[in-house]
Amino acid sequence: MIVQTTLEGVHTFEQPDGYVTHYRLWGAETAADLVVMLHGGMSHAGWQAPLGARLAELGDDVAFLAVDLRGSGLNAVRGHIPDGDLAVRDIALLLGSLKEARPATRIHLAGWCFGAQVATVVAAGLADREVLASLLMVCPGFFFNDRYSDVLDRSIDAALEVVEELGITVEPTRPFIKVPLRPTDFTDRAEWLAAIEDDKLKLSHVTVGTIDAWEAIAVKSETEYGRIGQLPVRAVFGTRDKLVDNDRVRTFLQSHPDLETHDLDTGHAVHFEETEALTRLVAGFVAELKR
């Protein structure tokens, strides 16, 4: 398992099965604190660039690392996750390698939307290994609102019904289920709507395996949240979020004894609409934990 630099700011980590995980790094690899962010289902590490770049600019000895989950972004076989446990293991192994290479670095695992669920399962698995210093969540997608849940279910059912009706055998790695998300589900800012629309790396279609993996991770995250130990948990919500059921998620998270939450006047893409405010909150979380 080797970490090497490829494109500027982009690094790779080879998993035990030979799969290559790409991630983007802002700031010095030797920083005292490292925030590792996991993206949402449709997006990729590049969406976190505004937050990563601004956090690194603050000069508080904090670096920011955004990972492409298996099947997303710069990684191979885009749109396909063969197994949810494998996707979680990818992140756990990367974090373990980063900690082994820099034992004194405090690693703060973070997740946006679905990434928060992945991060929760990873954190639970690492609870007894002293790898992580905190768990940060941005618009955590534990529970979506009724509208999006219904649209997602209908999209999946429709694709599967067509395949069954036509008697088609679809290759396991072929993405054919449309991801029912529009740019306006994330933000109402014109510049970011255009950026999302033009993004060639976002997932427009996924495989059945990916749908199954997403569901398995989502279900597991609800039970694993209670097993993350004493990790401090910090969560940020967008008050105008069109996807996440904020009230239900907030109630769910309150079972943890060291929880702190913040609200920002944004849609789902907090890191796009309020980059500075989110950056300051993340930097504040990290600084607080240093004391």
Side-chain angles (χ1 to χ4, degrees), residues 197-217:
E197 188 68 42
D198 295 339
D199 181 14
K200 299 300 189 293
L201 289 181
K202 69 178 184 292
L203 298 183
S204 60
H205 293 77
V206 296
T207 64
V208 172
T210 298
I211 295 296
D212 291 343
W214 285 352
E215 177 64 20
I217 291 171

Side-chain angles (χ1 to χ4, degrees), residues 238-289:
T239 58
R240 292 182 283 104
D241 197 319
K242 296 179 181 178
L243 301 176
V244 176
D245 185 336
N246 285 344
D247 292 339
R248 189 178 175 193
V249 174
R250 193 190 305 272
T251 299
F252 170 74
L253 295 179
Q254 286 174 349
S255 64
H256 190 72
D258 191 358
L259 170 71
E260 181 179 303
T261 66
H262 291 264
D263 293 312
L264 292 176
D265 183 22
T266 71
H268 191 59
V270 176
H271 48 300
F272 289 167
E273 296 185 13
E274 287 291 347
T275 303
E276 186 66 23
L278 181 58
T279 301
R280 295 291 177 180
L281 281 176
V282 172
F285 296 159
V286 172
E288 172 192 338
L289 295 171

Side-chain angles (χ1 to χ4, degrees), residues 148-229:
Y148 178 60
S149 295
D150 182 60
V151 169
L152 179 59
D153 289 343
R154 288 173 180 269
S155 180
I156 295 170
D157 291 345
L160 295 178
E161 286 173 6
V162 168
V163 168
E164 182 179 1
E165 179 69 23
L166 296 178
I168 300 172
T169 299
V170 181
E171 289 294 323
T173 58
R174 181 177 179 179
F176 71 97
I177 300 175
K178 184 174 178 58
V179 179
L181 286 169
R182 301 165 298 182
T184 51
D185 290 324
F186 297 96
T187 180
D188 58 5
R189 303 284 179 84
E191 66 274 25
W192 290 113
L193 290 173
I196 294 171
E197 188 68 42
D198 295 339
D199 181 14
K200 299 300 189 293
L201 289 181
K202 69 178 184 292
L203 298 183
S204 60
H205 293 77
V206 296
T207 64
V208 172
T210 298
I211 295 296
D212 291 343
W214 285 352
E215 177 64 20
I217 291 171
V219 171
K220 194 170 185 179
S221 68
E222 292 181 41
T223 57
E224 294 298 277
Y225 180 64
R227 300 172 183 166
I228 63 174

